[in-house]
Amino acid sequence: MGKLPELKWVLRPSRADLAEHDGKEIYAFGDTDAAGRVEVTLTDGTRVRVRRTELIPC
């Protein structure tokens, strides 16, 4: 049996203040706040809160 493909997630922010993180891979997911934003940790260690629509599977 072969190895299953690994699902990765990348950030595609719609806000200009997060544009520098566009395309960065997600390392971990955290809690969701009352506004529906999820805290994510990027592979470089940066933590940001984003909308779920800004998380793209690849």
Side-chain angles (χ1 to χ4, degrees), residues 28-43:
F29 295 91
D31 295 330
T32 302
D33 65 13
R37 294 176 300 173
V38 63
E39 181 180 60
V40 297
T41 303
L42 305 175
T43 54

Side-chain angles (χ1 to χ4, degrees), residues 4-54:
L4 295 174
E6 184 177 325
L7 178 62
K8 295 182 181 181
W9 292 82
V10 295
L11 180 61
R12 292 288 184 219
S14 58
R15 300 183 329 235
D17 62 328
L18 294 177
E20 67 185 274
H21 302 298
D22 187 30
K24 289 187 179 178
E25 190 175 328
I26 306 298
Y27 174 73
F29 295 91
D31 295 330
T32 302
D33 65 13
R37 294 176 300 173
V38 63
E39 181 180 60
V40 297
T41 303
L42 305 175
T43 54
D44 66 2
T46 304
R47 291 184 180 188
V48 293
R49 285 208 173 266
V50 296
R51 293 189 247 15
R52 292 183 185 270
T53 57
E54 297 174 298

